[in-house]
Every structure is written in C-alpha cells, then in structure tokens.
Amino acid sequence: YMAPEQARGLPLALDPRDTVGRATLTGIDIWGLGAIAYDLLSGHPPWQAAGGIEAWEIAAGDARPAPFDRTPRGERIPLRLRRIVDRALAPAPEDRYASAGELAGELHAVLAWRPTSFDRSPMMRVALWAKRNPQLTITAVVAMVLAGMSLATYATVLHLRDQRAALAAEVRAAVT
C-alpha cells in the first residue's frame, strides 16, 4: 500500500508540524486508506508484482490502479463509491482528499444516500433524496397521479358539457 510519492522516495525527516511535511504525510495516509478500500472492494491490492517488476516499482511510476467495478463475488460496486476510492488513489497528492475527515464524510454520504462532491446534477440529488425518503416520495408520486387524474376528469367533464350544449342546441333547432 505504498503511495507513489513514497515509492519514489521521501525526505528522511518529515515533520508533521511543518505545513509541507504535514501535507505530504496526509497525502500518504489518504492514499493508504484508498488502497485499503480498493483491496477490500476488489479483492487485491492496487498494484501487484508481475513480470519481474515489484509492486513498489509500479507504484513509483504515475500509473493509476486498474479500474474495478465488481467484487470478487461478482457484485457490482456503485459508481459513487468507485469515484471516492479513485480520488483517494490519485497519483498526485494534491488531487486526493485534503484530510481523512473529508474522505470519511464522502464515505458517510454514500452510506446515508446523501450527495457527495461528485453528485452535482439536480437529477442525482433528487434521486438520492427519494432513496432517503421513500414514504415521502411515494406520497408525492401518488399526489401527482391524483392531481393528473383530477385534471383529466375536469377536462372530460368540460368536454361533455360542451357536447351536451351542442346537442341541446341541435335538438332545439330540429324542433323549430
């Protein structure tokens, strides 16, 4: 679970009290959390030794881990979750989450059916709201259906009144 910047080599003394050192260490930690999530979801670490190349050598290059969309048992991994893990595993530390708290907030949002930083479209936000509030969603849908049926019934009644008036006028004209 070595972050790319770790695999390329770091200064011997990183001071967490220093702004640059803290940012570097935070980036490494975020990458590590992303790598653990990747392994838990995909069933294998982000990089594996292959063809005489060690995993850390692969990590030292700026390659992204292979995309994953299914668990080892074949279950589909939600896109929202994959995006979060992908951001945590970004090759450049500045492209990762700024803190573990921010990463945890995104994961909590996925579990709670709340919007993440990736969920910007109004349709996605409405869909997530509907997932969180199924009773209100059903009530709103039923209310809209009833309103539509009421409008259709009212339009039909108006149409029938017009037809009745036309027939009454026709009968009066025929009698006279």
Side-chain angles (χ1 to χ4, degrees):
Y1 297 155
M2 188 177 288
E5 60 271 25
Q6 255 181 319
R8 286 191 290 281
L10 293 170
L12 291 176
L14 279 173
D15 186 2
R17 294 169 291 184
D18 175 51
T19 306
V20 174
R22 185 174 334 123
T24 301
L25 292 170
T26 300
I28 291 169
D29 289 344
I30 297 301
W31 199 94
L33 291 170
I36 291 169
Y38 183 97
D39 194 350
L40 289 171
L41 292 167
S42 70
H44 57 83
W47 291 302
Q48 298 177 36
I53 300 174
E54 294 295 321
W56 72 268
E57 292 174 302
I58 298 169
D62 281 331
R64 281 193 170 277
F68 62 103
D69 64 346
R70 301 220 174 254
T71 66
R73 295 187 311 211
E75 298 162 325
R76 193 177 83 53
I77 300 168
L79 176 62
R80 299 174 72 225
L81 183 57
R82 286 184 283 151
R83 285 180 174 168
I84 292 168
V85 173
D86 191 49
R87 182 173 174 192
L89 293 175
E94 60 272 7
D95 294 337
R96 299 178 199 147
Y97 291 100
S99 69
E102 187 180 347
L103 173 59
E106 294 276 85
L107 292 171
H108 180 68
V110 168
L111 291 173
W113 295 105
R114 297 205 177 278
T116 66
S117 62
F118 298 105
D119 302 323
R120 294 197 174 113
S121 78
M123 288 303 294
M124 176 57 101
R125 290 178 177 270
V126 168
L128 291 171
W129 181 88
K131 279 279 200 181
R132 285 191 317 271
N133 302 291
Q135 294 87 0
L136 287 174
T137 302
I138 291 170
T139 302
V141 168
V142 168
M144 288 190 299
V145 167
L146 289 174
M149 289 172 59
S150 295
L151 285 174
T153 302
Y154 181 69
T156 302
V157 166
L158 290 179
H159 180 70
L160 289 173
R161 281 183 187 168
D162 290 343
Q163 282 183 339
R164 186 181 65 193
L167 284 173
E170 210 177 295
V171 167
R172 271 185 252 126
V175 172
T176 56

